[in-house]
Amino acid sequence: MSFSPSNTGLSERMSSVADAIGSTRDGSFAQLGTAFLTRLPAAPLTEPYVVGFSAEAARMLGFDPSLAHEPGFAEFFCGNTTREWPAQALPYASVYSGHQFGVWAGQLGDGRALGLGEIEHGGERYELQLKGSGRTPYSRMGDGRAVLRSSIREFLCSEAMHHLGIPTTRALCVIGSDQSVPREEIETAAVVTRVSPSFVRFGHFEHFYSNDRIEALQALADHVIDRFFPHCREADDPYLALLNESVLRTADLVAQWQAVGFCHGVMNTDNMSILGLTIDYGPFGFVDGFDANHICNHSDTSGRYAYRMQPQIAYWNCFCLAQALLPLFGARYEEAVRGERSVEDAQRVLEDFKTRFAPALEKRLRDKLGLADERPGDDALANTLLEIMHANRADFTLTFRNLSRLSKHDASGDAPVRDLFLDRAAFDRWANGYRARLSEETRDDAARREAMNRVNPKYVLRNHLAETAIRRAKEKDFAELERLAAVLRHPFDEQPEHEAYAALPPDWAGTLEVSCSS
Ligand code: AMP
Ligand code: MG
């Protein structure tokens, strides 16, 4: 497709961005065709303006960061110019289904998201997607919009997670508008541009399985294999190998979430990425005072997606994916035994979740404790710490960060972490055991501290930090958002000028509620 400035009103620079985005390339998701998506333009957004921009995400896509100041940037990235696009190149909403809160929900789909197409840069292909760009055939009762609050949260957390080293979709920018959107109260609309190698979810597979459209199911699996897991082609059963990839990536992902105290909030199967990326930031949260039962989503009344439930839920979601892929398994078996053997194969692959997750989390916890090698008793040491943290509601991030200051020789460095526990005696008992264990380590305190500070972040996106940036942004002051995003891009570094961003949450943070309404 080609956009000439004369027929779109775009500046030359914006039209070259438009030209770089293609949804008709070989192997792109959009090429799967009409069974998978509907093409339509975005709904117009009144007088859009730039709220947030990631220079880093821009560079990843091959854009110069000055692009954010280009006239027409906001118009383009809220979707306003898509009305001019040729029919065959229009943005697309994809169809998927899913289990929501454990219950089959039937057809869902991109109810407020539109794929713009792909950009190829630095040997990688990235799909760009607008979220909040208006109604689609999959909007059900929704208005197709996203509010400024949730868009800022998605933008900030995508960037924060990436810099924590946790697989995630990225965010290029947030575009705002004064156009009102009714939620519990009247809010304003915003559009986030999300970036990912793929937005395919477990729910995409469930959709075609549940409709008994096995050819489409296979085409989708082939797309994912060819684009992302080509080595699966060499396996005895490429589709089983695909399941295996997703299961292992999901196990690794959730181990990373647990290790950093991240709660996703809505782990429905339609919010699970086939590539094992963190996707669909809604009522997520990083735990402050540690509570293993922490529920970050105000709408999750049963606690299905509580912190401690996340690994089991991820495993359950993998079952849903396996079920959906079942018709593709076992082509190498005779028809008579095919069904039975396929189920056995799938179960074997699902077992790998457990054998992958537990050691992955144990390794992360050892690293968090600064234990260079593995000894019997290390798991118990980590679990006891988590237990006393839970009992004392000790701050998750600060406990691990401050632990690095503890000396293996004496209690002189204990205070910064000890003071986070109301029950000091319980902490002291644990610290004695920890010190005994550290005495078996060959690394000195300085080397251990440095290693620990590389895995225990100082800065995470605490709810109250996001909230402060959101409140300012609602007043059209975007400086705080930019500052916070910059702090979160270096979560492991000491940033003395930004000490306040690492502090315990203020009292008012306790009253913040985050729900599915976004
Ligand atoms: P979520 O729980 O945010 O992942 O959303 C579940 C489903 O509802 C997805 O199919 C979304 O696209 C859709 N959805 C959520 N909010 C809206 C909205 N405001 N308008 C239309 N669809 C929505
Ligand atoms: Mg979703």
Side-chain angles (χ1 to χ4, degrees):
M1 91 182 142
S2 187
F3 297 86
S4 84
S6 55
N7 68 20
T8 61
L10 289 176
S11 73
E12 214 167 302
R13 216 162 151 223
M14 284 313 301
S15 81
S16 79
V17 167
D19 269 337
I21 301 174
S23 65
T24 52
R25 273 193 209 117
D26 277 356
S28 63
F29 177 82
Q31 282 304 88
L32 287 170
T34 51
F36 297 82
L37 50 95
T38 306
R39 289 189 184 270
L40 74 161
L45 190 70
T46 326
E47 295 182 33
Y49 45 83
V50 180
V51 169
F53 177 78
S54 166
E56 227 187 70
R59 277 189 218 99
M60 179 178 89
L61 296 171
F63 301 153
D64 188 291
S66 66
L67 192 71
H69 306 293
E70 183 71 17
F73 180 88
E75 289 282 343
F76 185 86
F77 282 105
C78 73
N80 278 353
T81 61
T82 59
R83 274 166 295 168
E84 319 277 340
W85 292 19
Q88 75 281 6
L90 278 175
Y92 46 92
S94 76
V95 63
Y96 52 80
S97 296
H99 284 84
Q100 296 186 314
F101 289 89
V103 179
W104 177 243
Q107 184 186 304
L108 304 165
D110 295 324
R112 51 172 171 172
L114 284 176
L116 291 181
E118 287 183 339
I119 283 193
E120 194 164 351
H121 183 70
E124 303 286 341
R125 287 165 73 168
Y126 304 97
E127 212 172 319
L128 272 70
Q129 189 183 68
L130 305 181
K131 181 174 176 181
S133 52
R135 289 183 56 83
T136 76
Y138 317 111
S139 298
R140 298 176 295 157
M141 308 299 284
D143 57 11
R145 288 298 182 192
V147 297
L148 182 66
R149 162 178 56 87
S150 67
S151 305
I152 288 179
R153 282 170 51 85
E154 170 137 19
F155 175 78
L156 283 171
C157 204
S158 312
E159 292 305 283
M161 293 293 263
H162 173 75
H163 289 93
L164 287 168
I166 301 178
T168 177
T169 60
R170 298 290 301 270
L172 174 68
C173 57
V174 181
I175 305 299
S177 159
D178 293 348
Q179 196 168 311
S180 60
V181 177
R183 290 292 181 263
E184 273 131 47
E185 49 192 48
I186 300 291
E187 302 193 43
T188 60
V191 176
V192 191
T193 299
R194 310 199 280 195
V195 181
S196 178
S198 170
F199 289 97
V200 172
R201 301 143 190 271
F202 288 11
H204 280 102
F205 292 93
E206 290 180 283
H207 180 74
F208 296 104
Y209 169 75
S210 71
N211 289 304
D212 204 23
R213 290 160 73 182
I214 307 308
E215 275 177 27
L217 181 71
Q218 183 162 2
L220 181 64
D222 285 336
H223 162 75
V224 173
I225 291 172
D226 292 341
R227 278 293 303 278
F228 306 105
F229 308 129
H231 58 276
C232 290
R233 285 275 170 238
E234 273 118 65
D236 262 5
D237 187 331
Y239 304 111
L240 202 59
L242 163 64
L243 175 66
N244 194 47
E245 276 289 345
S246 284
V247 164
L248 296 181
R249 284 174 178 233
T250 303
D252 287 340
L253 177 70
V254 179
Q256 295 202 61
W257 288 356
Q258 299 303 99
V260 78
F262 175 79
C263 293
H264 181 281
V266 203
M267 290 174 69
N268 294 338
T269 55
D270 52 298
N271 291 337
M272 299 294 291
S273 151
I274 197 72
L275 301 186
L277 310 173
T278 314
I279 192 171
D280 274 16
Y281 292 94
F284 67 85
F286 286 83
V287 281
D288 294 314
F290 182 53
D291 172 3
N293 301 314
H294 178 67
I295 304 164
C296 61
N297 179 357
H298 190 62
S299 320
D300 181 9
T301 45
S302 70
R304 180 179 171 88
Y305 299 135
Y307 170 82
R308 73 178 169 84
M309 295 294 289
Q310 295 191 122
Q312 277 148 280
I313 292 294
Y315 182 48
W316 192 93
N317 288 343
C318 287
F319 265 79
C320 293
L321 177 64
Q323 176 74 49
L325 290 171
L326 219 44
L328 305 183
F329 298 153
R332 67 191 187 282
Y333 299 134
E334 286 170 44
E335 208 53 47
V337 297
R338 188 171 165 173
E340 198 181 320
R341 297 282 292 277
S342 298
V343 171
E344 282 167 20
D345 284 346
Q347 281 173 333
R348 219 171 350 90
V349 167
L350 287 165
E351 277 302 295
D352 289 347
F353 183 96
K354 289 186 267 184
T355 50
R356 180 75 156 221
F357 173 78
L361 181 57
E362 283 158 15
K363 166 81 170 81
R364 289 193 181 273
L365 287 171
R366 271 200 311 280
D367 291 346
K368 287 177 84 67
L369 293 179
L371 306 176
D373 37 44
E374 189 178 348
R375 300 276 162 90
D378 287 351
D379 299 342
L381 190 70
N383 286 328
T384 308
L385 175 62
L386 289 170
E387 276 163 28
I388 61 168
M389 283 166 66
H390 170 85
N392 286 268
R393 297 293 185 268
D395 187 80
F396 190 94
T397 306
L398 283 176
T399 298
F400 283 106
R401 183 72 181 189
N402 292 355
L403 203 56
S404 72
R405 288 150 76 176
L406 188 139
S407 155
K408 70 177 177 181
H409 305 293
D410 54 48
S412 58
D414 286 12
V417 56
R418 184 177 187 263
D419 290 350
L420 298 167
F421 293 78
L422 217 55
D423 183 353
R424 304 275 152 88
F427 176 78
D428 291 340
R429 273 193 303 279
W430 181 82
N432 284 339
Y434 180 47
R435 236 185 295 280
R437 172 64 183 82
L438 288 181
S439 67
E440 296 168 23
E441 290 278 311
T442 49
R443 277 195 299 206
D444 65 14
D445 279 345
R448 178 176 50 85
R449 176 172 312 152
E450 203 193 303
M452 287 173 79
N453 285 348
R454 280 199 303 270
V455 295
N456 293 315
K458 176 154 180 156
Y459 301 98
V460 295
L461 181 57
R462 296 177 186 265
N463 262 342
H464 75 277
L465 298 176
E467 183 63 22
T468 303
I470 291 164
R471 286 181 190 173
R472 300 267 171 80
K474 283 182 176 171
E475 291 158 9
K476 303 248 166 73
D477 172 1
F478 309 126
E480 178 56 24
L481 171 60
E482 204 173 321
R483 194 157 42 236
L484 176 56
V487 170
L488 295 171
R489 285 193 185 101
H490 302 278
F492 301 107
D493 295 354
E494 290 295 330
Q495 303 178 49
E497 70 282 23
H498 294 309
E499 204 62 32
Y501 291 84
L504 288 172
D507 287 343
W508 61 264
T511 62
L512 289 175
E513 278 174 1
V514 190
S515 73
C516 275
S517 157
S518 60

